[in-house]
């Protein structure tokens, strides 16, 4: 017979234990939820050549209810550019040109980053008290690639959701290889119709299909094209409305009014 645990909703912990920088190699800025209830966690990944600071401010500005935020800084500095970071090697040291998919350094660097992200996620789950389905990832461009990689290829299989702004998987990643327990959460990818970095709509749709191949049948994935936008961070009311709708529909929330009723109890197996 299965045992059950009955408890008062008031006994639920509102504040998560803040993550410790000493437990992780990746640098980050953490902000608890403004309303005092750290039920969800939003992890933000900046784009190529940026740093964690602006995305830490974005996490605060979003002010999502019952949601703490954590902005991560990419592990590698961009050569010859102070204060700029990359998630994997991106430039040729000699010419300064962007590396192509044929260069093995890109994927090797991404695999190194995946291990570091996994280390941080395990700390957040095991030591800080965040539950995996309530952890959501948000990334721009190369940061979107890392967010998708963590959810689709990482060891932690049931993250809550991913938003990627103008970011897809690396071209050299194997999406035809069968992965047990494909990702079953929520994915939103937005990109500009004038994004010359990603390519035209046909190319973008093919990249999105690569993502869908790594999802389980239960996953809900959406790709949205934004008119009159190039390869930039979300910057229009229309795009932010799509993003906020994703958060509102996909992020769970505690019903505080119900919890405060004295005759209501939580029953957990």
């Amino acid at each position: 017979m299965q045992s059950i645990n009955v408890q008062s909703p008031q006994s639920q912990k509102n504040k998560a234990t803040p993550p410790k920088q000493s437990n992780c190699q990746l640098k980050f800025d953490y902000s608890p939820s403004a309303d005092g209830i750290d039920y969800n966690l939003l992890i933000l990944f900046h784009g190529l050549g940026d740093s964690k600071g602006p995305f830490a401010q974005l996490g605060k500005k979003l002010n999502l209810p019952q949601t703490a935020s954590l902005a991560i800084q990419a592990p590698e500095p961009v050569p010859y550019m102070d204060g700029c970071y990359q998630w994997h090697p991106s430039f040729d040291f000699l010419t300064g040109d962007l590396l192509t998919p044929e260069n093995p350094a890109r994927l090797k660097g991404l695999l190194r980053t995946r291990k570091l992200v996994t280390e941080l996620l395990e700390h957040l789950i095991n030591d800080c008290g965040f539950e995996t389905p309530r952890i959501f990832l948000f990334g721009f461009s190369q940061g979107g690639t890392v967010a998708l990689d963590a959810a689709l290829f990482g060891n932690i299989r049931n993250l809550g959701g991913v938003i990627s702004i103008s970011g897809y998987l690396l071209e050299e990643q194997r999406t035809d290889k069968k992965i047990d327990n494909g990702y079953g959460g929520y994915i939103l990818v937005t990109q500009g119709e004038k994004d010359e970095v990603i390519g035209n709509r046909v190319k973008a749709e093919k990249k999105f299909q690569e993502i869908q191949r790594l999802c389980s049948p239960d996953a809900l994935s959406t790709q949205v094209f934004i008119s009159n936008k190039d390869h930039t961070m979300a910057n229009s009311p229309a795009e932010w409305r799509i993003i906020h709708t994703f958060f509102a529909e996909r992020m769970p929330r505690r019903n505080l009014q119900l919890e405060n009723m004295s005759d209501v109890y939580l029953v957990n197996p």
Side-chain angles (χ1 to χ4, degrees):
M1 181 178 179
Q2 186 181 37
S3 62
I4 61 174
N5 174 38
V6 180
Q7 64 186 67
S8 169
Q10 287 89 341
S11 65
Q12 289 196 86
K13 185 178 179 182
N14 289 338
K15 301 297 291 183
T17 301
K20 295 182 178 180
Q21 185 64 75
S22 59
N23 286 32
C24 310
Q25 298 178 65
L26 287 172
K27 294 181 179 180
F28 58 81
D29 287 338
Y30 173 78
S31 297
S33 175
D35 58 21
I37 301 175
D38 302 328
Y39 193 59
N40 303 304
L41 176 65
L42 179 66
I43 302 179
L44 302 107
F45 301 81
H46 64 77
L48 172 62
D50 204 346
S51 62
K52 58 183 172 61
F55 275 63
Q57 293 301 314
L58 173 61
K60 294 179 182 179
K61 187 176 180 180
L62 287 172
N63 196 25
L64 298 173
Q66 302 184 11
T67 303
S69 63
L70 185 145
I72 307 176
Q73 188 154 285
E76 301 183 22
V78 177
Y80 313 117
M81 297 180 66
D82 292 339
C84 300
Y85 297 87
Q86 57 189 356
W87 296 99
H88 59 74
S90 306
F91 298 98
D92 186 297
F93 276 102
L94 298 178
T95 66
D97 295 334
L98 282 170
L99 297 181
T100 65
E102 289 72 30
N103 193 308
R106 298 203 325 167
L107 186 55
K108 288 180 179 179
L110 181 61
L111 294 178
R112 290 194 300 269
T113 293
R114 184 191 301 171
K115 291 181 180 179
L116 298 177
V117 172
T118 299
E119 176 188 64
L120 176 57
L121 286 171
E122 289 176 343
H123 173 49
L124 293 165
I125 295 165
N126 299 329
D127 302 324
C128 302
F130 289 103
E131 294 191 13
T132 312
R134 297 203 291 267
I135 296 176
F136 288 73
L137 311 181
F138 179 104
F140 165 61
S141 191
Q142 194 178 94
T145 297
V146 175
L148 289 167
D149 177 82
L152 298 173
F153 289 99
N155 295 333
I156 299 171
R157 304 303 303 156
N158 57 336
L159 294 167
V162 181
I163 294 180
S164 178
I165 310 298
S166 304
Y168 296 88
L169 298 172
L170 291 182
E171 291 90 332
E172 57 267 41
Q173 289 186 271
R174 288 285 302 277
T175 60
D176 57 338
K177 184 178 179 181
K178 177 65 176 178
I179 294 181
D180 294 334
N181 301 319
Y183 180 66
Y186 306 110
I187 294 177
L188 170 65
V189 178
T190 70
Q191 80 150 77
E193 289 186 339
K194 297 181 178 179
D195 191 332
E196 295 182 356
V197 174
I198 301 299
N200 60 35
R201 191 183 186 104
V202 173
K203 291 182 179 179
E205 289 173 344
K206 289 182 178 179
K207 290 178 179 291
F208 187 66
Q209 290 170 5
E210 299 295 318
I211 294 171
Q212 291 179 309
R213 287 195 187 98
L214 297 167
C215 294
S216 74
D218 297 331
L220 294 177
S221 57
T222 305
Q223 182 184 37
V224 179
F225 291 89
I226 308 299
S227 60
N228 298 317
K229 182 193 173 186
D230 54 14
H231 193 76
T232 59
M233 179 60 181
N235 57 13
S236 69
E239 188 169 6
W240 278 114
R241 187 160 49 248
I242 293 168
I243 294 169
H244 279 291
T245 298
F246 177 92
F247 287 137
E249 293 179 348
R250 306 309 183 196
M251 276 187 164
R253 298 182 193 175
R254 285 167 53 185
N255 189 327
L256 301 180
Q257 183 176 4
L258 187 64
E259 289 182 17
N260 290 329
M261 297 174 65
S262 60
D263 57 346
V264 173
Y265 294 87
L266 294 174
V267 180
N268 298 316

